[in-house]
Amino acid sequence: MNAPHQPQAPHSLADQYAAVRSQTLELAAPLSEADCQVQSMPDASPVKWHLAHTTWFFETFVLAPHLPGHRDFDPAFRVLFNSYYNGVGAQHPRTQRGLVTRPDLATVRAYRAAVDGQMLRLLEAPVAPAVAELITLGLQHEQQHQELVLTDLLHLLSCNPLAPVYLPALAAAATAPPAAAATWLAQAGGLVDIGDAGAGFAFDNEHPRHAQHLRPYLLASRPVGQGDWAAFIADGGYTDPRWWMSAGWDWVRSQQIAAPLHWRRSAGHGADWQVFSLRGLLPLQVDAPACHISWFEADAYARWHAARHPGQSPSRLPTEAEWEHAAQPVWAQALASRNLLESGAQQARPAAAAASGLQQLAGDVWEWTASPYTAYPGYRAWRGAVGEYNGKFMVNQMVLRGGSCATPRSHIRASYRNFFPTDARWQFSGLRLARDAD
Amino acid sequence: MNAPHQPQAPHSLADQYAAVRSQTLELAAPLSEADCQVQSMPDASPVKWHLAHTTWFFETFVLAPHLPGHRDFDPAFRVLFNSYYNGVGAQHPRTQRGLVTRPDLATVRAYRAAVDGQMLRLLEAPVAPAVAELITLGLQHEQQHQELVLTDLLHLLSCNPLAPVYLPALAAAATAPPAAAATWLAQAGGLVDIGDAGAGFAFDNEHPRHAQHLRPYLLASRPVGQGDWAAFIADGGYTDPRWWMSAGWDWVRSQQIAAPLHWRRSAGHGADWQVFSLRGLLPLQVDAPACHISWFEADAYARWHAARHPGQSPSRLPTEAEWEHAAQPVWAQALASRNLLESGAQQARPAAAAASGLQQLAGDVWEWTASPYTAYPGYRAWRGAVGEYNGKFMVNQMVLRGGSCATPRSHIRASYRNFFPTDARWQFSGLRLARDAD
Amino acid sequence: MNAPHQPQAPHSLADQYAAVRSQTLELAAPLSEADCQVQSMPDASPVKWHLAHTTWFFETFVLAPHLPGHRDFDPAFRVLFNSYYNGVGAQHPRTQRGLVTRPDLATVRAYRAAVDGQMLRLLEAPVAPAVAELITLGLQHEQQHQELVLTDLLHLLSCNPLAPVYLPALAAAATAPPAAAATWLAQAGGLVDIGDAGAGFAFDNEHPRHAQHLRPYLLASRPVGQGDWAAFIADGGYTDPRWWMSAGWDWVRSQQIAAPLHWRRSAGHGADWQVFSLRGLLPLQVDAPACHISWFEADAYARWHAARHPGQSPSRLPTEAEWEHAAQPVWAQALASRNLLESGAQQARPAAAAASGLQQLAGDVWEWTASPYTAYPGYRAWRGAVGEYNGKFMVNQMVLRGGSCATPRSHIRASYRNFFPTDARWQFSGLRLARDAD
Amino acid sequence: MNAPHQPQAPHSLADQYAAVRSQTLELAAPLSEADCQVQSMPDASPVKWHLAHTTWFFETFVLAPHLPGHRDFDPAFRVLFNSYYNGVGAQHPRTQRGLVTRPDLATVRAYRAAVDGQMLRLLEAPVAPAVAELITLGLQHEQQHQELVLTDLLHLLSCNPLAPVYLPALAAAATAPPAAAATWLAQAGGLVDIGDAGAGFAFDNEHPRHAQHLRPYLLASRPVGQGDWAAFIADGGYTDPRWWMSAGWDWVRSQQIAAPLHWRRSAGHGADWQVFSLRGLLPLQVDAPACHISWFEADAYARWHAARHPGQSPSRLPTEAEWEHAAQPVWAQALASRNLLESGAQQARPAAAAASGLQQLAGDVWEWTASPYTAYPGYRAWRGAVGEYNGKFMVNQMVLRGGSCATPRSHIRASYRNFFPTDARWQFSGLRLARDAD
């Protein structure tokens, strides 16, 4: 782990701590105790668990070893809110997180307050660099869980036939001119360096920076849109095995997949698509990025798109190296302009109509890549129990890049590697097309 | 369904209504919104759902057809809180009841209050007999759900590694003299009449009263106790296929069953048994009835018991006809003296030390019988959607008799037929032995 | 078990032995080694396994304890071909019977020959009554497996998209006059005796003969026919929850059941029903009994039939006591005239056009009853390992009566109790309607 | 696909065809019809199916389009023996291959003979290059199935508690001097070319040859041995989560994995390991490569090995590029000396005691790599239905390199990419360690 100071957030560590922690509580503010309690599927966790587990992280990795005289808020929490750190000990089974109605939400809030008090006391004096690094890691960790709070909540609300809302719908935008069609932007490739090179925080999985050889390629200016995806469906995309990986085709048929997660046919005439969101059931937004698709779907879309454009090199997903290499020079402006957690939209939105160049790299939707999630050459996991953070998940998952509308701005980087299994759909996940230079 | 007036409860229907409805709220009073929200397994339902569904029953079967000008509290509830009445329409899937965090608990309480208001308005004037019958059925239905509130809640709390309590532990009883050993009480049998013969309410499945021929038999004076069950375990009862039905042996091995549900080994030396209850983790009570056992376990215990007493006719479960025939003449006193919901104990307790005759017939634990749940000869289901109440479940379940510590006193009868599948254990279920006359 | 001599087969035990054993080999004669090897589902067994297991039965229960100097053909067979007798020791897992390609079929035939040689040597001199009883049991056991050879084989062949035949189709019958409509035959009921009273062999589950009280009832003259069943389908029988037990409705939907097992729509115009049989794919035979239905289907049909005949007491399945009481006085003629294994048809066939009274009681199709399979009052399982034969299966199964076209004539009795779970369909199972006297 | 002539096999295509086809029959020669019939798990196929499917490949892709006047042997085989080519049409379900007892083995042999006759007739005259390419592909395809015949058969025989043998045990080797310890061989890395560059046949997934950048690394001289693996087990390798990927640890616990597939504890004192093989149950061979391990196990072993050697860069699996780059210069000699299918051993064997350099690259065991199976940059699938051969499997699988004792010599190349899911163990799969240059 690198030095803890972050260029994006030039405040004290105590300020950063307070800001991140309160952001989490704000996300939970509109929710009832019941909303915070339920686990809607094994992959998701209750909001209450997120509130507690992020607190457990600071208590376990910072306070217990580094605050003299620290006593655990409740010794039972050591097991109860451990996610997957075997180095720390046993864990309450993941699939049973939603069954723990005691401690109640008020107690978990008290747990947060108690740990926050001790953390701020610790931060009153300068802390050793190693401790500062752990605190920074804890904040980055909490930001990841902020995104999960929203995606897990969206999944929970989507299981309710009454289609409840987390936040009221946004005011309708003034009728915007439709976005220009996506264009192909050429990248030269060659022997390029990939991986974190910054002075700020980065995860171990972004290191070491290393050389990769890339052939010349083209990258689409924008993610695939909801209108594009509706055309894929209308053209029989989900019923034609030609577009699908063998495992993807098995998945489509066994799970009866016929549209992105949270897409629903409206009841009325015409049967238009509607999209369930944190702001309720909304009409399809043709220009907004398609979202809540699995890697299997992203990959199938690319192959379908290739067949529809026979005169050029076939469309495909970019590799993560292609994505990162293209993003590096434009990252600062990408970050400045886009729809991340702080925008408050909490849904993917159309690109600005007049934009040019690579758009929506940061925010809106995570972009599936063609790259399996593996260790970079020379990768070393962090030492100690936090070494379980990333390394042990480097198999049977695919990399996503760029962050989403639920990702905090100070959390995302051009080198950031998110990863999910090929059938996961409950994240804000979309895709951007690439192809070989002709 | 019979005439609605009930000898046990010589009050007005409005009084009965108010009493039963408030009893349900009292059961939920110690619970948080989270406690009321969670569904801990597919067989169980959230307490909030019980609160709403029992209200739905009155709205759907009484108010909607019989109160002029009635308007539904929320039309969406018609599907959301329908349990299994195809005659009423679609149902929210049973396994997803716990995912419905909206309406919240306050709204469900408001739903109860609104329906109660309309019901009491309806009851201000005399109602037609058919309507009175439906209201009585609704109250009996709610009493069944009162028991389920407690058993479902116990299951939920048992999933929490912190062993939370619903109510504080009872004060330790003064050291009671141990109960005398159970004795065998002879019953003559012959051609006897079985089924409801009372003037009060009874379910359709208790009718028609009809003749059955019984051989002479013996019935144990008391249910099998927790000490008896510990001896069965200590003797290898769960590891010897001789005692088990073939399907039961498959169940024991695949589910790794080694003790009744909610029994746990204490951590310390000696590894004594503890029993998780609505009042927390308690030491084994040797003289209290064994509880939370499946039919497979009850049946296996009887066969083991038979092998340990080779000089007499083999122990077995009684048939429901044997149970009812023996219970009929002593039912009133059985009911008067025992541990039912109103006792407030909410756990099975030992028989009185000085008791004689058939003890604990009513209350404490439901008693598994040897009888599959089938229609009595000449059975007719009630007309209309309430005809789905009992008849469609008459397959692959076994009958239990006598009520438990969670059964309301005004709900249970000697002819009452409860029924569960052979592997169900989360109810307050035990057994009483029988055998043929020698 | 009773005395071994059987009135139906007044030959020596050695003659009976030779006849039954050769009958099994005749059933397997048209089959290849591959046909005899495969296990098409967990409920079925390979023909090779049936050939070996029936031989194991004689070796284990007769030769090993009763033939001085006996040595096992192969000691490994003791485990390999044990079905479910825990009293004998371990068992090869049921679901893996089809994986045992060695010993090969020739070795299993040699095993049969070796055991037959020893058995006939044992039978050269008179044997003790207890040994004769065990041999008779072994022959009855083998006859049960003869029926299973055919039903398991039919299931295997039905999994082959080429629709292979076991035997060539029967010559088309001369156009018979259609059978007269089924009629209702009145039975008086009263306090009647049920259970085996004969001098010949009967299973322990047919004892003891005991009194049951029956109300007056009516029994249909014939089983429900294929034409009747096609009408049930055409009327939406499989898509209307009103006709189904709750568990049956779950089964219909989860398993996507829409017709009896082995019924297929023909490809051509009109989409007529075809029925896959041991003689290949045949057109529907309107007058032949419907077959390969589960208890859930039989029960649903009765309820649908009741709704279509509102002016009379509702149609239902008969209890096994009703069935047996009606069959007792007419059993000898029933047995004489009907389609059992020896007819060679190996499919259910229409009743004779001119018949009257109760028809097709014996043979054609097993008839599902309303009775769960339980112990008769005073039931005692046989002593020793053969006590596992019947008793441990007396739960969660329903009784069928009367034998089928695959049942040997010397095997079936009016008191005979067959039993299968409520979703089993691969046996030759149909139904006969009953109803209360009006 | 490249030009069809193969340097390793400088014979006519007709000669090659005859040689490969007869080799398949030789593998099946020791087997009974039952051995050839059974499918022991969904991943495996019956030998009879392999015999038919490889024939179907020539009939479908060569004879039908390219032999004038060709008529299918049996039109039903088009579906029945199609494995996964959606471009050809429907497929018999994979999991039901073992249920097809008709056509019998003799018919499948006749099918082979008929297709062989037509193929040799086609090859009497020179064929077009495109046809020659398809025939070469068909032969390579059949060679892959030759390996699967052996691995699927081994799995089937391993399910038989009698531990039957395919071939008799090899004569015990004269006591060989133990192999010298494995050594680390340095590789310089740099920007290297990977992928097929030969003039002979290669699969589409080996193309295009392309540049990859490799850091300096070390490769073990030999695969990990059975003695090494026994030490891993003895040190608790299967019970310590530190060595395992998170998904691997879930797999170990849910599947109760504690040793490689086919390893068994001997019954006697000491409980030595035995290994079930095509030549029966054999004692552990310390110096022979460990085999039948999953990727999860290979990866865990490397991490355990790293912890046991803390003074050097951590042991890990090589990437496929590292493996191929090291193998290229020594491939010819690797191929010449080793244990491939033609050796007849049909089990992994120790390296020669006096060997030096990289040993056992070719043959003995496939070596798991750190590389997920993905498309090379610029990859294009073959045109037409054969384009489904490789591309649609490029997800959630890992690459193995080098061939095994069951791989035909003329089939394997340094650039050859085999691939299996991370939990597959029934192939002859082992591992070779790598690490970064210190």
Side-chain angles (χ1 to χ4, degrees), chain D residues 120-128:
Chain D
L120 293 174
R121 189 155 62 81
L122 178 71
L123 286 166
E124 282 169 3
V127 295

Side-chain angles (χ1 to χ4, degrees), chain C residues 147 150 167 170 223 226 277-279 282 285 287-291 331-352 359-367 401-410 412 428 432:
Chain C
E147 180 148 7
L150 292 181
L167 294 177
L170 294 171
Q226 295 183 11
S277 76
L278 288 168
R279 295 177 180 278
L282 304 175
Q285 278 191 281
D287 288 335
C291 192
W331 183 251
Q333 70 199 70
L335 202 57
S337 63
R338 287 309 305 161
N339 177 18
L340 290 143
L341 177 63
E342 290 79 2
S343 80
Q346 292 170 352
Q347 56 187 276
R349 308 189 76 179
Q359 300 150 47
Q360 298 178 289
L361 280 172
D364 283 309
V365 292
W366 289 99
E367 300 177 17
R401 293 298 194 114
S404 81
C405 56
T407 309
R409 187 174 306 259
S410 60
I412 192 69
F428 290 96
R432 178 189 304 268

